Amino acid sequence: MPKILIVGGGYAGFYTAWKLEKWLRRGEAEVTIVDPLPYMTYQPFLPEVAAGSIEPRHAVVAQRRHLKKTNVVTAKVTRIDHASKVATITPEVGEPWEFDYDVVVVTGGAVSRTFPIPGVAENAIGLKSIEEAVAIRDRVLHNFDKAAALPAGPERQRLLTFTVVGGGFAGIEVFAELRSFASALLEYYPQISFEETHFHLIEAMGRIMPEVSLPTSHWVIKHLAQRGAEVHLDTQLTSAVDGKIELSTGESFESDLIVWTAGVMANPGIVRTSDLPVEERGRIKTRADLRVGDDETIVADAWAAGDISAVPDLTGGGVGGYCVPNAQHAVRQGKLLAKNIVAVLRGEDPKQYIHKNLGAVAGLGIGQGVFQSKGLAIKGLLAWFAHRGYHGLAMPSWERKFRVFTGWWNNFWLGRDIVELAAVQTPRAGFEAFASRPKPPVVEAAAPAEPAKAEKPAKAAKEPVAAK
């Protein structure tokens, strides 16, 4: 039976395995998926998770629950030797082992792309994982708790200043969601005024959200300004050492939370440890039919999809002629990839990936959103409903859809949960602080030796007194 190895359990990898389970006949192939995380993260929900609008566990999909016919391995693929069709799998605990496969599917996704700006690596946080979104939410709540107990001054201002770097869809959404979240928190913190909360978005280009029209992006900036959030265009971050933000415009301020959303890059842990061809931007060379290779060559039995691949955009709408790295493409590529693998196994020809972007939708906080489809732009409440409806229905499996919609319904009546669990990062701290510990063994001191008695000097013999 052919062995199919899927490297990466994100959108493309999860959907490839999910659809292979549906379309493969019994005994036609054996599918194994390897990913260091046991779940797929629905990344468009990360801004809402960061703002407390979605329960974190509802924004992820458990692989073992929904991939019932697939071998799920929670580990890293640290080497792909396609010439020998062998992959090295390294678990978190235990020794690495080699896995022989017949077909490899590389869907390892992307990671945050940063630049060597002083202080960013030490102080910023990305928005590519559910853990990062939860940490952002807890930091905002924790900062409000600390600031409420402080008098007005530099430290209080620093705690209530939040910065997002990057004006793409992810950056704008988390920026707007956090602004909405902070405004809602003021009801519970009467010690803090609206004017004390500061939000800065830094974008190196002259516009935000390139997926929408220029007038729509201008509306978003104006709308955010009305809500007390400042967007810095044509501005670069030059330093973030110790949380002090320094901009190319000369402006500087201190910020306790810095969220980095300025771009992604193909997962280097997979790309740099394989013998598959890579293009100049570090992505795996991929044909329009999702086989690895280019127009002239095909790497047999190797497929790729999602953010880690350079898939030609046959509609002509991609950046540089390739599909942009987003969930819209990754999900559809994963579905087609499964069909193409089955087709090739049965001696049929694979189909090319063609998807014309139908529009873009973004949430800007509770009750606010923006939708763009060609020349049609919808703003405000209706766009917000479109955003939630689209992404709620796009969430894989009815079980997950139900959890998301139920959470939104509960929040409508009960409001957002504002409990922060920052201490979960160090769950044993309280236990360790008061845990009884064995007393160190008492080393009995040796009995002191008795001091030697000094010998009394012998009495001198009395000399006879001489007779006078």
Side-chain angles (χ1 to χ4, degrees):
M1 195 190 317
K3 291 184 178 181
I4 301 173
L5 173 63
I6 301 175
V7 182
Y11 296 121
F14 178 85
Y15 271 94
T16 299
W18 206 24
K19 296 306 178 181
L20 281 174
E21 290 190 351
K22 178 180 179 181
W23 293 319
L24 282 172
R25 302 188 186 110
R26 182 182 296 273
E28 193 170 11
E30 176 185 309
V31 182
T32 299
I33 187 169
V34 182
D35 192 277
L37 298 174
Y39 49 79
M40 183 212 82
T41 303
Y42 191 73
Q43 293 187 10
F45 279 158
L46 293 183
E48 287 202 58
V49 172
S53 296
I54 293 180
E55 170 65 26
R57 286 182 176 85
H58 297 173
V60 299
V61 182
Q63 295 170 354
R64 296 181 187 275
R65 177 167 185 168
H66 296 281
L67 300 178
K68 298 178 181 179
K69 301 177 184 179
T70 301
N71 300 321
V72 177
V73 180
T74 305
K76 293 181 179 180
V77 173
T78 53
R79 175 68 183 168
I80 300 175
D81 183 2
H82 191 63
S84 303
K85 292 191 175 179
V86 174
T88 302
I89 298 177
T90 304
E92 186 174 354
V93 178
E95 296 297 321
W97 76 88
E98 292 187 343
F99 182 90
D100 296 319
Y101 62 81
D102 297 288
V103 177
V104 67
V105 178
V106 184
T107 55
V111 299
S112 296
R113 181 191 62 177
T114 59
F115 306 102
I117 301 171
V120 168
E122 295 79 11
N123 298 288
I125 185 170
L127 191 65
K128 290 292 293 178
S129 69
I130 196 72
E131 293 82 4
E132 289 174 324
V134 172
I136 291 170
R137 174 187 178 275
D138 285 342
R139 176 68 71 85
V140 172
L141 288 166
H142 197 53
N143 282 11
F144 266 72
D145 285 333
K146 291 193 291 185
L150 289 174
E155 181 59 23
R156 180 176 169 122
Q157 183 174 344
R158 178 177 180 273
L159 290 169
L160 297 176
T161 300
F162 308 97
T163 305
V164 175
V165 183
F169 251 65
I172 289 296
E173 284 193 300
V174 72
F175 184 64
E177 290 284 357
L178 290 179
R179 173 69 271 184
S180 174
F181 186 34
S183 297
L185 287 176
L186 295 175
E187 175 186 353
Y188 308 100
Y189 293 88
Q191 306 91 339
I192 300 174
S193 66
F194 177 86
E195 290 73 22
E196 289 183 283
T197 59
H198 305 281
F199 284 80
H200 298 269
L201 184 133
I202 303 166
E203 171 54 48
M205 297 177 60
R207 61 163 298 176
I208 61 171
M209 305 174 73
E211 297 88 349
V212 303
S213 67
L214 193 58
T216 301
S217 70
H218 288 165
W219 179 87
V220 172
I221 294 174
K222 182 180 178 181
H223 173 74
L224 290 172
Q226 292 171 347
R227 292 164 54 185
E230 186 175 356
V231 177
H232 305 261
L233 297 180
D234 291 316
T235 304
Q236 294 180 349
L237 175 66
T238 58
S239 178
V241 175
D242 296 329
K244 183 177 180 181
I245 303 297
E246 296 183 7
L247 305 180
S248 58
T249 58
E251 185 178 357
S252 66
F253 52 87
E254 292 197 7
S255 176
D256 191 69
L257 176 62
I258 306 168
V259 182
W260 181 276
T261 65
V264 297
M265 64 179 180
N267 190 334
I270 297 174
V271 172
R272 297 173 185 173
T273 57
S274 80
D275 56 355
L276 298 174
V278 177
E279 47 93 63
E280 59 273 8
R281 294 190 61 184
R283 299 173 296 180
I284 294 176
K285 289 184 179 180
T286 310
R287 294 162 50 90
D289 59 11
L290 304 180
R291 287 183 287 186
V292 175
D294 51 33
D295 293 336
E296 290 76 29
T297 60
I298 298 175
V299 179
D301 300 321
W303 305 77
D307 295 355
I308 202 169
S309 63
V311 179
D313 190 340
L314 300 183
T315 67
V319 177
Y322 297 100
C323 296
V324 296
N326 62 23
Q328 192 173 148
H329 283 302
V331 169
R332 288 169 173 80
Q333 288 172 6
K335 293 178 180 179
L336 178 64
L337 200 156
K339 287 184 177 180
N340 283 351
I341 290 175
V342 173
V344 171
L345 287 175
R346 297 172 184 172
E348 302 170 4
D349 293 330
K351 295 182 179 180
Q352 293 185 327
Y353 176 74
I354 301 176
H355 172 66
K356 190 171 181 63
N357 192 356
L358 300 178
V361 61
L364 302 176
I366 300 296
Q368 298 293 335
V370 60
F371 170 80
Q372 180 83 49
S373 180
K374 298 181 180 179
L376 175 64
I378 303 175
K379 312 174 188 72
L381 183 61
L382 188 59
W384 180 72
F385 277 119
H387 168 264
R388 283 204 161 178
Y390 172 78
H391 287 297
L393 293 175
M395 187 72 177
S397 84
W398 285 105
E399 175 256 339
R400 243 42 198 167
K401 289 179 175 66
F402 182 79
R403 292 181 188 273
V404 170
F405 280 106
T406 301
W408 282 335
W409 178 253
N410 291 339
N411 285 350
F412 177 77
W413 297 103
L414 305 175
R416 285 184 273 203
D417 196 330
I418 65 166
V419 175
E420 61 103 350
L421 299 174
V424 76
Q425 306 299 327
T426 54
R428 297 187 65 251
F431 179 82
E432 287 182 298
F434 300 101
S436 297
R437 292 173 172 81
K439 294 182 178 179
V442 177
V443 180
E444 294 185 3
E450 293 184 5
K453 294 181 178 180
E455 295 183 2
K456 295 181 178 180
K459 293 182 177 181
K462 293 183 177 181
E463 295 182 0
V465 178
K468 293 182 179 178

